[in-house]
Amino acid sequence: MVGIVRDDTDDAVRRYVAGEGVPYPVALDPGARASLDFGTRGQPETYAISPDGVIAGTRFGPSSVANLEQLLAAARGQR
């Protein structure tokens, strides 16, 4: 899992990650390049990407653990 943040500063992201104890890597998206490449519509959005790089599932809006498990299963080909 990797978090990608657009429209925020490096300092704000670092404070949030440290304060919330985010357990996964978080990257900044300067210029919204990843956002444009994925065709995002708003935040938060979650994408499950298969090992071969194909988007296997998406979730628009907040995600629960159950949502994430479904997305991971789809990315593993276990729909």
Side-chain angles (χ1 to χ4, degrees), residues 29-54:
D29 184 18
R33 172 78 192 245
S35 300
L36 293 171
D37 288 348
F38 280 97
T40 62
R41 300 188 286 183
Q43 296 176 11
E45 293 178 58
T46 305
Y47 295 84
I49 303 171
S50 69
D52 59 349
V54 175

Side-chain angles (χ1 to χ4, degrees), residues 5-28:
V5 178
R6 66 171 194 227
D7 300 331
D8 216 332
T9 65
D10 185 53
D11 288 339
V13 172
R14 286 180 193 273
R15 282 193 308 272
Y16 178 82
V17 167
E20 295 296 319
V22 175
Y24 49 85
V26 175
L28 294 175

